[in-house]
Amino acid sequence: MLFVPADRPERFVKAVASGADAVCIDLEDAVAVSAKAGAREAALSRTLKEARHGVEVILRINDPKTELGRSDLDALCTVDVPPDAVLLPKAATAAEVSWVAGVLELWHPLLTLIPLIETARGLAAAGAIAGSTPNVSGIMFGAIDLSIELGCALSWDALLYARSRVVHAAALARVGALDVPSMAVGPSNGEQLAAEARAVRELGFTGKAAIHPSQVAVIQDAFSPSEAEIGRAARVIETAERSHGAAALDEGQLVDLPVVSAARRTLARVDAIRARTAARSLGVTAE
């Protein structure tokens, strides 16, 4: 998911062409308070109507507990062309998320929500937030605001518990888990970004956000199964079929039901990546 400031609508077309699976039009952190009203108008009246070419479009509104956030919600309810999803900053309780879902589904019943877990209270309620309503399609981890509130370093070790809790909450609700963007931008930081993306994938995240088009390919590569992983998964399935579901060995490694399930997830991820790529080429949004 690639972020684009809502007050820079000219960047939307470039973001859609970046190869990202989703583009997030940001009304919150990326926009100065003095520019919020103009950014909202530009996003809702112009940017959301731009050609999407099969890319999912997400709108990050301001905190719905604030006047700015409520204004965003009111305006969103009146648009003819809504986003595919709404990113909810500072999500703190399940009741809050359910309330937002109730407001929006009266006007846009297919609109989904992605609560952003970036406060101590939200982290404590992450499981309840993720499962608060069927409208929640995923949750996102927000590192910077959370680290400030916790008084901890913005580092992997300091935030490992918080990241793990978000993954756990998403797994319980059977929704996706999206990691925070890396602030490391530019060719010299490519390996740092790749290492971070691989680490969060290993932790259980299903995706990672980006703040610059140059980060998109690095993240997608980190989250795409390697040829070795695909080959291993295919062999596991073949071994399981030959053994008719009984435990067996593949190149000295035990193949049992959990291993088979993991292999099927790997191959399903490959199919999903191919479907999204095909959808982008056809200009339609893949489910």
Side-chain angles (χ1 to χ4, degrees):
M1 183 181 74
L2 175 60
F3 278 96
V4 175
D7 60 348
R8 299 296 300 273
E10 72 278 3
R11 294 187 181 180
F12 180 74
V13 174
K14 295 179 181 179
V16 168
S18 70
D21 297 304
V23 171
C24 182
I25 304 168
D26 191 4
L27 287 170
E28 195 210 17
D29 286 347
V31 180
V33 174
S34 60
K36 297 279 189 184
R40 182 190 303 123
E41 172 64 21
L44 300 185
S45 66
R46 172 185 166 186
T47 312
L48 285 177
K49 296 179 181 179
E50 294 277 357
R52 304 182 181 188
H53 302 293
V55 176
E56 183 178 4
V57 175
I58 299 166
L59 182 70
R60 175 158 73 167
I61 64 172
N62 290 280
D63 183 351
K65 298 184 289 297
T66 67
E67 184 177 346
L68 280 171
R70 289 191 292 272
S71 295
D72 291 341
L73 280 177
D74 289 342
L76 187 54
C77 288
T78 67
V79 298
D80 296 327
V81 182
D84 297 298
V86 172
L87 184 62
L88 293 180
K90 309 294 192 299
T93 67
E96 171 194 332
V97 176
S98 295
W99 175 77
V100 172
V103 170
L104 291 176
E105 68 183 359
L106 293 174
W107 305 92
H108 306 297
L110 299 181
L111 195 56
T112 61
L113 304 178
I114 304 173
L116 187 47
I117 308 300
E118 56 183 341
T119 67
R121 191 178 181 195
L123 185 64
I129 288 171
S132 60
T133 165
N135 299 69
V136 171
S137 59
I139 58 176
M140 182 175 173
F141 173 63
I144 297 178
D145 286 356
L146 181 61
S147 67
I148 292 171
E149 185 167 329
L150 295 178
C152 72
L154 187 64
S155 66
W156 178 261
D157 288 345
L159 293 170
L160 179 57
Y161 164 76
R163 274 192 167 98
S164 299
R165 184 152 187 160
V166 169
V167 169
H168 185 197
L172 284 173
R174 297 185 181 276
V175 299
L178 192 63
D179 190 53
V180 64
S182 170
M183 298 297 107
V185 178
S188 62
N189 294 309
E191 185 49 44
Q192 177 184 339
L193 172 61
E196 185 176 303
R198 289 192 296 266
V200 296
R201 176 191 166 189
E202 291 176 1
L203 199 60
F205 280 89
T206 53
K208 184 172 178 62
I211 56 173
H212 191 275
S214 65
Q215 296 179 320
V216 171
V218 177
I219 293 170
Q220 288 180 333
D221 183 64
F223 275 88
S224 299
S226 66
E227 291 301 321
E229 289 174 311
I230 295 171
R232 161 70 173 158
R235 290 198 312 274
V236 164
I237 300 301
E238 292 172 2
T239 300
E241 290 175 349
R242 287 197 304 269
S243 67
H244 303 288
L249 291 177
D250 171 59
E251 296 185 352
Q253 299 294 315
L254 178 67
V255 173
D256 58 6
L257 288 178
V259 175
V260 173
S261 295
R264 294 192 189 282
R265 283 198 301 273
T266 296
L267 297 181
R269 187 181 300 122
V270 174
D271 288 342
I273 291 170
R274 289 171 178 165
R276 287 197 298 270
T277 302
R280 282 197 296 269
S281 68
L282 294 172
V284 297
T285 302
E287 294 296 333

